[in-house]
């Protein structure tokens, strides 16, 4: 398919790598090529030199090797880096969440699709340790109508698998929060931290997020619900990277 020259860019951060693992830098594009260096799972210092090429359906990009010289990495494991303070100060993210609110509460598939990351899609977890379902922009467009049955994994508490299409399993729980008077806080898991040792997945360490929280009803209190909304930047614009749901569990 040839190599696209491109211009140098960065910094990028490593994502989707387990904390015990590394992102390998290869001598040339493709997983079969010799390893010439590595980036830590949480590295934020990856600089692209410009060139990129496809190996099958995977985009590979040339980077500066911290050990000297250059090498290639699979772009799936990179995202544009923004410091936490710059992210929390970015008004464009508030607009993204407001648009997510509108898309969810009006079941507007075209609007939702426009918010989904064009590079990674959006990972949806109905339960923190359940199944991860990824929606690209095309599938997000039809998610409110699709009758495709998904096993979202075991519900906390009961341990029983939650099975059903997005609009029956996930949408009501999104709408319950976005139709309420909710609060949002930046890079703060809030009450979700009470029910998970690791509410925000380690492999998302360089993805910033907002916690969108519906407090419990007065006198009930246990009917709170929260969504952690992960955001990734593509060409400087924030997009929806992930949605993780939490509720009270016995």
């Amino acid at each position: 398919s040839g190599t696209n020259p491109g211009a140098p860019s960065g910094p990028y951060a490593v994502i989707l790598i387990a904390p015990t693992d590394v992102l390998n830098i290869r001598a040339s594009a493709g997983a079969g090529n010799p390893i010439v260096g590595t980036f830590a799972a949480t590295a934020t210092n990856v600089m692209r030199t410009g060139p990129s090429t496809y190996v099958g359906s995977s985009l590979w990009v040339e980077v500066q090797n911290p050990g000297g010289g250059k090498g290639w990495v699979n772009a799936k494991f990179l995202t544009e880096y923004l410091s936490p303070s710059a992210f929390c100060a970015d008004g464009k993210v508030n607009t993204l969440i407001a648009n997510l609110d509108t898309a969810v509460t009006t079941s507007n598939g075209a609007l939702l699709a426009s918010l989904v990351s064009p590079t990674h899609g959006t990972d949806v977890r109905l339960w923190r340790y359940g199944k991860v379902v990824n929606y690209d922009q095309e599938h997000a467009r039809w998610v409110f109508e699709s009758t495709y049955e998904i096993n979202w994994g075991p519900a906390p508490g009961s341990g029983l698998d939650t099975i059903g299409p997005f609009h029956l399993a996930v949408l009501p729980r999104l709408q319950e929060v976005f139709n309420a008077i909710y609060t949002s806080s930046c890079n703060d898991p809030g009450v979700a931290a009470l029910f998970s040792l690791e509410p925000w997945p380690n492999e998302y360490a360089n993805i910033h997020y907002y916690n969108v929280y519906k407090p419990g009803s007065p006198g009930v209190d246990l009917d709170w619900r929260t969504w952690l909304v992960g955001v990734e930047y593509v060409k400087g614009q924030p997009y929806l990277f992930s949605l993780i749901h939490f509720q009270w569990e016995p």
Side-chain angles (χ1 to χ4, degrees):
S1 61
T3 300
N4 172 26
S9 58
Y12 293 84
V14 174
I15 56 170
L16 303 177
I17 300 276
T20 52
D21 205 355
V22 293
L23 175 59
N24 289 316
I25 307 169
R26 305 274 175 178
S28 49
N33 289 305
I35 296 169
V36 294
T38 59
F39 288 108
T42 54
T44 57
N45 61 335
V46 183
M47 302 301 291
R48 286 180 54 177
T49 58
S52 62
T53 189
Y54 278 90
V55 178
S57 61
S58 298
L59 177 67
W60 284 72
V61 296
E62 191 185 63
V63 296
Q64 298 282 2
N65 184 343
K70 297 171 184 176
W72 290 78
V73 297
N74 186 333
K76 173 190 174 180
F77 301 106
L78 297 181
T79 192
E80 293 173 26
Y81 176 69
L82 205 71
S83 72
S85 56
F87 171 77
C88 291
D90 185 3
K92 292 192 301 243
V93 181
N94 303 100
T95 304
L96 174 69
I97 291 172
N99 284 330
L100 175 62
D101 180 329
T102 303
V104 163
T105 53
T106 63
S107 294
N108 184 332
L111 176 57
L112 181 65
S114 74
L115 308 177
V116 166
S117 167
T119 56
H120 286 98
T122 299
D123 282 351
V124 178
R125 283 177 169 85
L126 176 57
W127 310 117
R128 168 64 184 87
Y129 296 104
K131 182 177 179 181
V132 182
V133 181
N134 182 269
Y135 292 93
D136 60 17
Q137 290 182 325
E138 188 53 35
H139 286 88
R141 182 180 299 275
W142 306 109
V143 77
F144 299 119
E145 289 118 67
S146 171
T147 55
Y148 182 72
E149 298 267 322
I150 295 166
N151 185 339
W152 298 92
S158 76
L160 299 174
D161 284 350
T162 308
I163 299 171
F166 180 96
H167 75 92
L168 292 180
V170 176
L171 184 59
R173 293 171 167 98
L174 279 166
Q175 289 179 336
E176 187 183 328
V177 171
F178 282 108
N179 277 323
I181 297 172
Y182 58 83
T183 61
S184 61
S185 49
C186 189
N187 284 333
D188 174 7
V191 72
L194 301 174
F195 293 92
S196 171
L197 291 172
E198 188 195 296
W200 192 240
N202 277 322
E203 65 271 23
Y204 293 174
N206 286 322
I207 296 287
H208 301 303
Y209 66 94
Y210 269 82
N211 170 11
V212 182
Y213 171 67
K214 181 204 83 135
S217 316
V220 182
D221 294 331
L222 298 182
D223 61 346
W224 61 267
R225 195 178 296 284
T226 199
W227 285 89
L228 301 187
V229 179
V231 177
E232 111 164 302
Y233 284 75
V234 180
K235 296 180 178 168
Q237 286 297 318
Y239 289 91
L240 197 57
F241 178 88
S242 58
L243 291 167
I244 308 179
H245 167 253
F246 293 87
Q247 64 183 30
W248 184 82
E249 39 191 276

